[in-house]
Amino acid sequence: MIVLEGVQKLFGDFQALRDIDLVVGRQEVVVVCGPSGSGKSTLIRCINRLEAHDAGRILVDGVEVNDDVRNVQTVRRETGMVFQSFNLFPHMTVLENVTLAPRQVRRQAAKEAEATAMELLERVKIPEQAHKYPGQLSGGQQQRVAIARALAMRPKVMLFDEPTSALDPEMVAEVLDAMKELARSGMTMIVVTHEMGFAREVADRVVFMADGEVVEVGSPEHFFEDPREERTKLFISQIL
Ligand code: ADP
Ligand code: MG
């Protein structure tokens, strides 16, 4: 579903991504972790062209992410993204937030978009919040709205960039539960997170990054019980 081959990204003369190779299969859940500044956000931002890579190739479901705007449009439409900051529109209700893109981009009729939105809000367990504004919701609820909003476009891939890092501790579980349910439903997911319980439970593979490189890739068992690289061992000892 996602292929990265020799991907490089420079910011000026700083190399944020060095020769990244990564293949994510259909329905696979890949957790990406690593120290701050290691290039995790840059990696997933390159996949939907929020950043343009400088070398190598990126394909999403066979469509190359490149200068061709039609390709970028296709990939963005098929890729849902959830950020650390929820980025909901504050002047729109929850329902309006979730129906906006399907109505404007997919030209769905209001009724149809609303019916889908309500199903998705039920899926993330907040249908009763549909008519509230984001400011009236807790952080955990807002992040679940952000997930529902991304799903409303019926993406083939979901990218999460530290979706629980900005939440109060008591709200982390409700967001992770929504993500676990999504993973079980067969969604292809790349999740940047340091929630190692989540990684153990749902990741098919864990990717460890440092200094713009993929240092180690393995199953959660391999990653936690038997990491090979010194940098991985050090990182794990610091976060567990
Ligand atoms: P992570 O998400 O792993 O913390 P990032 O991908 O955000 O790391 O950043 C990787 C490196 O690239 C960092 O050193 C960061 O300062 C740098 N970087 C990220 N975005 C930009 C940018 N727009 N301009 C310049 N440097 C950037
Ligand atoms: Mg980041």
Side-chain angles (χ1 to χ4, degrees), residues 4-167:
L4 290 92
E5 286 173 356
V7 172
Q8 316 249 11
K9 173 65 190 172
L10 295 143
F11 291 111
D13 48 17
F14 175 79
Q15 191 156 10
L17 295 179
R18 298 167 190 272
D19 209 15
I20 304 283
D21 293 317
L22 182 67
V23 175
V24 179
R26 229 167 268 278
Q27 306 202 324
E28 198 179 10
V29 177
V30 172
V31 162
V32 179
C33 61
S36 178
S38 56
K40 307 179 298 295
S41 295
T42 304
L43 175 76
I44 61 169
R45 290 167 62 82
C46 284
I47 293 171
N48 63 356
R49 202 69 171 182
L50 294 177
E51 300 285 358
H53 56 290
D54 296 297
R57 292 212 313 159
I58 300 177
L59 297 136
V60 177
D61 200 21
V63 178
E64 182 160 7
V65 182
N66 55 18
D67 287 332
D68 188 332
V69 275
R70 285 164 307 177
N71 288 16
V72 172
Q73 270 178 356
T74 304
V75 167
R76 291 221 178 119
R77 223 172 267 187
E78 291 175 353
T79 308
M81 182 139 179
V82 175
F83 303 88
Q84 180 175 332
S85 52
F86 328 120
N87 301 336
L88 299 173
F89 296 109
H91 59 290
M92 292 183 179
T93 65
V94 164
L95 195 62
E96 287 164 350
N97 266 279
V98 179
T99 55
L100 183 69
R103 293 190 61 185
Q104 294 204 336
V105 181
R106 295 236 193 251
R107 303 270 166 223
Q108 275 182 16
K111 269 227 154 64
E112 186 193 347
E114 280 172 18
T116 306
M118 287 310 300
E119 273 170 37
L120 291 169
L121 290 172
E122 263 158 47
R123 205 166 154 193
V124 298
K125 303 196 164 64
I126 40 171
E128 72 286 356
Q129 310 297 334
H131 300 288
K132 291 195 188 160
Y133 288 86
Q136 297 172 291
L137 271 54
S138 72
Q141 290 171 329
Q142 288 187 56
Q143 192 60 305
R144 286 183 284 155
V145 175
I147 293 171
R149 182 177 60 172
L151 292 175
M153 287 294 283
R154 301 270 175 234
K156 293 179 180 167
V157 172
M158 285 284 285
L159 306 174
F160 292 88
D161 193 358
E162 302 206 33
T164 60
S165 315
L167 298 176

Side-chain angles (χ1 to χ4, degrees), residues 215-232:
V215 173
E216 190 157 358
V217 183
S219 67
E221 297 73 36
H222 162 88
F223 187 78
F224 293 109
E225 317 305 340
D226 188 27
R228 233 150 262 158
E229 303 290 331
E230 284 310 316
R231 281 186 289 182
T232 316

